[in-house]
Amino acid sequence: MWIDLLLWYLVVTLLGWLAWPVAFRLFRSLPDRGYALSRALGLLLWGFIFWSLASLGVLQNDSGGVFLALLIFAAISVIGFARPHWSELVRWAKEQARVLIACELIFLAGLVAMAVMRSADPAISGTEKPMEMAFINGILRSPQFPPGDPWLSGYAISYYYFGYVMVAMLTRLTGVQPNVAFNLAIAVWFALVALGSYGIMFNLLALWRRSRPSRAAPAMEKPSLGWPLLGPFSILILSNIEGFLEVLHSGGLFWRQAPDGSWVSSFWNWLGILELNQPPTPPFTWLPERLSGIWWWRASRVLNDLDLAHNSVEVIDEFPFFSFYLADLHPHVLVMPFALLAIGLCLQLYLYCSREPWPRPAYLGWLWNWINGAAAPLRQTGITFWLRQPFFWVSVLAFGGLGFLNIWDFPIYVGLFSAVYTFVQYRQQGWSGRRIVEFIEVALLLGVAGLGAYYPFYVGFSSQAGGILPSLSFFTRGVHFWVMFATLLLPVTVWLIYLWRQKDGHRGLLRQGFKFAAIAVGGLWLASYVLGFIGVSLPLIGNLMLNAQPGEGQGGSLALTLINLGDLLLSRHGAITGSQLLGQSLINRLASPGTWVTLLAGITLVWGLLGRFRSQDEPAPADTEGETSLGAQAPDRPISPVPFVLLLVLLGAGLTLAPEFVYLRDQFGTRMNTIFKFYFQTWILWGLAAAFASAVLLQSLRGLWGSVYRAGWSVLIIMGLVYPYFGVFYRFQHQDLNALTLDGAAYIEQFSPNEMDAIRWLRQADYGYLAEATIPGASYNPSYGRMATHSGLPNVLGWPGHESQWRGGAAEMGSRDADLRRLYETGSWDEAQVVIRQYGIRYIVVGGQERLTY
């Protein structure tokens, strides 16, 4: 266990050192010169080189190809980035040794802590762990790229699998068994997030200290190494306050016994969190427990949508500690270090462009002139400047990689990058309609280039996404929103108020902030109800078409489709008529305004504050000579990081506001996935903002208000630590320390040694398709698809429900479920051979699950 952990530590550390010359060159404006982000950068660049060359057939998908990609990456870094700046890099490292040591300790501590946590419950079983293990093994065994789908033989993976490629590369290079590598990957990704968030917070706080007007010589001060710990603490450890509510609930607080002997509570019924609205089981105890379930699961399901028929609709609201505790190696977890890398790139853009403005790309204006026959040469526009910058192309790989890692994050961080550039332009030139054009130009340039860099992935990618739907009856109650985000929102809110009190005479800016917030909230509200009106009108339109042209032709088919879509919208919201859906949902929203009012107030404060940071409030930049690229040495004048943090808060507010009114349509038909992905990224954004706000307030507030804030902040932190405390407590409560292991397949060895022998045999067997048991409801059942999951050989069909989600339908699966049943149940060898030849089956599994199923 410890040898494997050491190997992964050394390899990931080596990647960071190889990438540091690149980071050192590109992150020149950051106080840590990008050291804390270099490991994520190295993993990304190494992964891109291997994946792209393997997809083109230049490299083989084997250990030699992985190692050759590492040599190519090392050569680019050393020759292209390290050699011209070697003396500067060495000198900086000597001067800032304490920063480097702190980063190494953070990474090592996070790695060991999560490895120990996983060793207490390492089984790759339950939830979606088998799916993730199947992807890793499928990539390891695939003879070429794109890798074969381990649960649908003959097809390539149709999912954002870049993170699994990285895990597979580390597995090959270190020679660790895949079932051990799975848990090592959880530990490494946890450590990467800890290090990345620590680095961003170190940079923000160092910049803040430099920009404080009360400091006479801020450049001479050594930045604090302790306060940045609030970054990984807020993102990875601090949790929502549902765990605190679990303690109160288990203790019987606010429950009373009615005359008939039943337990009742107006408080818990009002709170409306599922399971907590049911009485606890006597005797009451202050330890959270759930005799009929898993107590720690509910924290990821705080929100509870109700349709108009009062049916409960599941909503996922995971946060990082839950995700790492659960240990699903899912894309929303795999993307986290690279989301932080994207934030670091945005911070570098903000700092450098604040000193040395970049020209706008201006290609949209050129394109318009070209259409009208009056275009100047393209090289005279700013786009040629952008295309010459190494920083831009590294950003293309980083932001484009987000789409390949977890496609939901791609537009989010492209939007942040564009917003940062637009805001800097606003500070320097004021507001005009050109700012909107600049935002679009930068977003399109970075977005299209990012998609192009990973084009081979998108060729074979299909999705269940099917447009935008109105979230009419589905919205978040204010109390649930605050249970979810209170530990982050309260420090941020106090900080925003603190900033407003720094100066007087900004009522006009507050009005501007309210105007923008009202337009944002009102616009989304209007868009939602316009979409809703169109949706409920579809049956009427369809019936009119049928009456006008009765029959079963193309027009009749379209009319029936419209009727079905309208009826589906009504049934999804629990409504009978369109007027009921539109009217009653509006009444319900007005009766529970907590979330949208909270976000309206927050956006008002943030937008108004952003208006205070104009160029006249900052020292004028000094004239410099030398390079004009983003990596050039810029004048070292203090630049406040406060506007950048405000942009993080604003983006988080937008991500939580949007699903109050619209959501992405998928096979679930609800806003479950949209809330899941948007809220998770909001936790990262607001986690950084809350850490910065807490550090600033704890250092700045004095006297009575300082004491009040410290007391309130301490109580809030304790409430947010209840969940992780009891989570760790229960995991190790009865743990035999001698039984700790990182082998995720040890449970198979223990309970089914014969099947483990079969898995070992298949791992070394020649590549080929296999048949094993499945049923339509096999999803989330580790007993189905188990051989493909742990061997990497593709089976005919694994979890049908997941395949349908990944591909947006069941067309590719065809009759595979029925054909497998036919194969296993037939008494005719000739009939069996028909199925074997049809799917090219090389291995047939006959085990306990096959005997149970067929």
Side-chain angles (χ1 to χ4, degrees):
M1 166 178 163
W2 297 111
I3 296 299
D4 294 338
L5 184 66
L6 178 62
L7 280 173
W8 276 54
Y9 168 75
L10 293 175
V11 169
V12 176
T13 300
L14 174 64
L15 285 172
W17 290 348
L18 288 176
W20 193 38
V22 182
F24 188 82
R25 177 75 178 87
L26 298 179
F27 290 100
R28 293 183 69 93
S29 298
L30 300 189
D32 81 333
R33 300 300 292 266
Y35 186 81
L37 298 170
S38 59
R39 281 175 170 83
L41 179 62
L43 193 55
L44 174 84
L45 296 179
W46 179 40
F48 174 78
I49 292 171
F50 172 73
W51 167 80
S52 58
L53 294 181
S55 297
L56 294 173
V58 177
L59 294 180
Q60 296 294 317
N61 181 27
D62 55 21
S63 298
V66 169
F67 185 71
L68 185 56
L70 182 63
L71 291 181
I72 295 171
F73 168 52
I76 293 173
S77 178
V78 173
I79 297 174
F81 290 88
R83 192 172 62 177
H85 306 279
W86 184 253
S87 60
E88 182 187 359
L89 190 151
V90 172
R91 183 176 64 255
W92 187 93
K94 291 180 179 179
E95 294 173 353
Q96 303 296 332
R98 59 193 290 271
V99 177
L100 305 187
I101 293 173
C103 289
E104 291 301 323
L105 291 176
I106 291 293
F107 181 78
L108 184 60
L111 179 67
V112 172
M114 185 48 63
V116 172
M117 176 73 78
R118 286 304 303 143
S119 68
D121 182 22
I124 304 171
S125 177
T127 58
E128 292 184 302
K129 295 183 187 68
M131 169 199 121
E132 296 139 9
M133 187 76 260
F135 280 156
I136 295 169
N137 277 319
I139 291 168
L140 286 169
R141 292 301 304 271
S142 185
Q144 74 279 319
F145 272 26
D149 188 333
W151 285 349
L152 195 70
S153 60
Y155 287 88
I157 294 175
S158 180
Y159 199 60
Y160 13 96
Y161 62 86
F162 194 24
Y164 303 110
V165 171
M166 297 178 187
V167 175
M169 292 169 66
L170 290 169
T171 304
R172 281 196 186 282
L173 197 63
T174 58
V176 172
Q177 287 296 315
N179 37 291
V180 175
F182 181 95
N183 288 310
L184 288 173
I186 292 288
V188 164
W189 257 254
F190 182 88
L192 287 172
V193 175
L195 179 58
S197 55
Y198 178 85
I200 291 176
M201 198 51 50
F202 172 84
N203 291 316
L204 289 173
L205 292 175
L207 293 165
W208 172 71
R209 291 180 66 86
R210 291 181 186 178
S211 65
R212 295 175 71 183
S214 60
R215 301 289 180 178
M220 302 299 294
E221 294 185 358
K222 290 184 177 181
S224 170
L225 300 179
W227 288 109
L229 288 170
L230 287 173
F233 173 78
S234 296
I235 291 178
L236 288 172
I237 307 300
L238 199 61
S239 303
N240 64 31
I241 62 174
E242 197 276 341
F244 175 73
L245 294 173
E246 289 279 356
V247 172
L248 301 184
H249 180 268
S250 296
L253 199 64
F254 305 126
W255 290 96
R256 62 180 178 84
Q257 199 164 19
D260 62 359
S262 63
W263 291 91
V264 295
S265 172
S266 56
F267 170 78
W268 295 106
N269 286 332
W270 166 81
L271 186 63
I273 296 177
L274 295 183
E275 294 184 290
L276 295 185
N277 59 3
Q278 300 300 313
T281 303
F284 301 144
T285 172
W286 295 107
L287 296 177
E289 59 184 0
R290 185 95 70 247
L291 297 182
S292 59
I294 304 173
W295 74 269
W296 53 266
W297 185 263
R298 180 50 51 190
S300 69
R301 306 296 193 274
V302 169
L303 275 63
N304 178 34
D305 281 350
L306 294 174
D307 64 19
L308 297 183
H310 301 289
N311 298 309
S312 178
V313 181
E314 183 182 35
V315 179
I316 300 176
D317 47 63
E318 285 192 24
F319 50 94
F321 183 86
F322 172 89
S323 298
F324 280 105
Y325 189 79
L326 178 65
D328 268 5
L329 201 60
H330 219 55
H332 70 283
V333 171
L334 290 168
V335 78
M336 289 181 70
F338 309 98
L340 291 168
L341 174 63
I343 292 172
L345 289 166
C346 291
L347 178 59
Q348 168 65 20
L349 178 75
Y350 165 76
L351 294 172
Y352 190 83
C353 287
S354 295
R355 298 184 177 119
E356 192 72 24
W358 269 25
R360 55 177 289 199
Y363 60 88
L364 290 180
W366 176 88
L367 182 62
W368 176 258
N369 291 332
W370 179 81
I371 293 174
N372 289 281
L378 186 61
R379 63 178 178 272
Q380 295 181 9
T381 67
I383 193 173
T384 56
F385 176 89
W386 284 71
L387 298 180
R388 289 196 303 266
Q389 308 309 313
F391 175 86
F392 172 73
W393 290 109
V394 172
S395 298
V396 166
L397 296 182
F399 286 83
L402 296 179
F404 196 1
L405 282 155
N406 186 36
I407 202 161
W408 292 79
D409 294 13
F410 176 60
I412 293 173
Y413 290 101
V414 168
L416 177 62
F417 188 93
S418 305
V420 167
Y421 177 81
T422 305
F423 174 75
V424 173
Q425 293 291 97
Y426 158 73
R427 292 182 71 179
Q428 295 164 347
Q429 302 179 29
W431 175 255
S432 71
R434 293 183 61 186
R435 304 289 85 82
I436 299 176
V437 177
E438 289 165 352
F439 179 89
I440 296 173
E441 286 176 339
V442 173
L444 284 176
L445 181 61
L446 183 61
V448 171
L451 293 174
Y454 295 88
Y455 174 74
F457 160 66
Y458 293 100
V459 170
F461 177 69
S462 57
S463 172
Q464 61 174 314
I468 302 296
L469 288 178
S471 186
L472 298 171
S473 64
F474 304 140
F475 59 90
T476 304
R477 288 181 57 200
V479 63
H480 293 169
F481 188 80
W482 279 94
V483 168
M484 181 66 190
F485 288 116
T487 51
L488 307 181
L489 264 184
L490 282 175
V492 170
T493 302
V494 175
W495 176 62
L496 293 176
I497 296 172
Y498 169 79
L499 290 177
W500 273 103
R501 291 179 61 86
Q502 295 301 296
K503 293 182 180 180
D504 295 325
H506 289 278
R507 292 182 179 178
L509 291 176
L510 192 61
R511 284 194 296 270
Q512 291 180 15
F514 179 76
K515 180 179 178 181
F516 175 80
I519 291 174
V521 175
L524 282 170
W525 205 321
L526 178 62
S528 174
Y529 277 82
V530 168
L531 287 174
F533 178 78
I534 294 173
V536 299
S537 300
L538 293 179
L540 175 62
I541 298 173
N543 285 316
L544 290 175
M545 293 175 61
L546 285 178
N547 293 332
Q549 296 180 343
E552 296 295 332
Q554 185 174 359
S557 176
L558 176 60
L560 292 175
T561 299
L562 294 178
I563 293 172
N564 290 334
L565 288 175
D567 291 342
L568 181 61
L569 177 66
L570 291 174
S571 64
R572 187 67 68 184
H573 287 271
I576 299 175
T577 65
S579 59
Q580 180 199 10
L581 174 58
L582 297 176
Q584 189 61 48
S585 62
L586 178 61
I587 294 172
N588 291 348
R589 283 179 178 273
L590 293 175
S592 296
T595 298
W596 65 264
V597 168
T598 295
L599 293 171
L600 177 73
I603 294 172
T604 297
L605 294 176
V606 172
W607 191 262
L609 285 167
L610 285 171
R612 289 173 51 183
F613 289 89
R614 289 291 308 278
S615 56
Q616 60 264 29
D617 298 326
E618 298 284 331
D623 293 332
T624 58
E625 297 180 358
E627 299 178 75
T628 59
S629 73
L630 190 60
Q633 182 64 48
D636 188 17
R637 64 182 181 85
I639 296 177
S640 172
V642 169
F644 182 81
V645 179
L646 290 173
L647 289 175
L648 298 183
V649 177
L650 185 64
L651 179 57
L655 292 177
T656 51
L657 179 65
E660 290 300 294
F661 301 99
V662 293
Y663 63 90
L664 189 67
R665 178 180 178 270
D666 54 25
Q667 290 190 348
F668 299 102
T670 68
R671 61 182 194 138
M672 178 181 71
N673 258 336
T674 304
I675 288 283
F676 176 18
K677 301 302 170 58
F678 280 14
Y679 274 34
F680 197 83
Q681 286 307 313
T682 298
W683 193 281
I684 296 175
L685 297 167
W686 282 357
L688 291 172
F692 180 82
S694 297
V696 168
L697 292 172
L698 290 171
Q699 295 179 75
S700 302
L701 291 177
R702 298 289 185 268
L704 176 61
W705 287 115
S707 299
V708 170
Y709 178 76
R710 286 175 178 80
W713 184 82
S714 300
V715 171
L716 183 68
I717 294 303
I718 291 173
M719 293 170 66
L721 289 178
V722 169
Y723 183 86
Y725 170 78
F726 281 107
V728 175
F729 171 78
Y730 278 121
R731 178 152 294 183
F732 288 94
Q733 184 181 19
H734 302 294
Q735 179 66 43
D736 180 5
L737 297 182
N738 294 322
L740 296 179
T741 179
L742 288 173
D743 185 355
Y747 76 100
I748 304 178
E749 184 75 67
Q750 179 181 359
F751 296 109
S752 186
N754 289 340
E755 292 214 341
M756 195 65 226
D757 287 341
I759 289 170
R760 291 193 187 97
W761 188 89
L762 286 171
R763 284 177 178 172
Q764 54 78 41
D766 292 339
Y767 192 80
Y769 299 158
L770 63 87
E772 59 180 316
T774 191
I775 57 174
S779 292
Y780 301 102
N781 188 332
S783 298
Y784 292 102
R786 65 207 184 284
M787 293 296 170
T789 293
H790 290 280
S791 72
L793 298 181
N795 63 16
V796 176
L797 183 60
W799 288 4
H802 277 65
E803 286 292 347
S804 179
Q805 292 175 37
W806 300 335
R807 301 178 185 279
E812 292 84 355
M813 288 183 284
S815 61
R816 292 181 182 230
D817 175 54
D819 291 336
L820 282 172
R821 179 168 295 277
R822 178 183 172 200
L823 171 66
Y824 277 100
E825 294 187 345
T826 183
S828 166
W829 175 242
D830 291 336
E831 186 178 5
Q833 282 187 310
V834 172
V835 179
I836 292 170
R837 293 193 188 101
Q838 180 179 354
Y839 295 104
I841 298 170
R842 184 166 186 173
Y843 307 105
I844 300 177
V845 178
V846 181
Q849 196 60 40
E850 285 67 35
R851 293 186 177 93
L852 279 174
T853 305
Y854 306 110

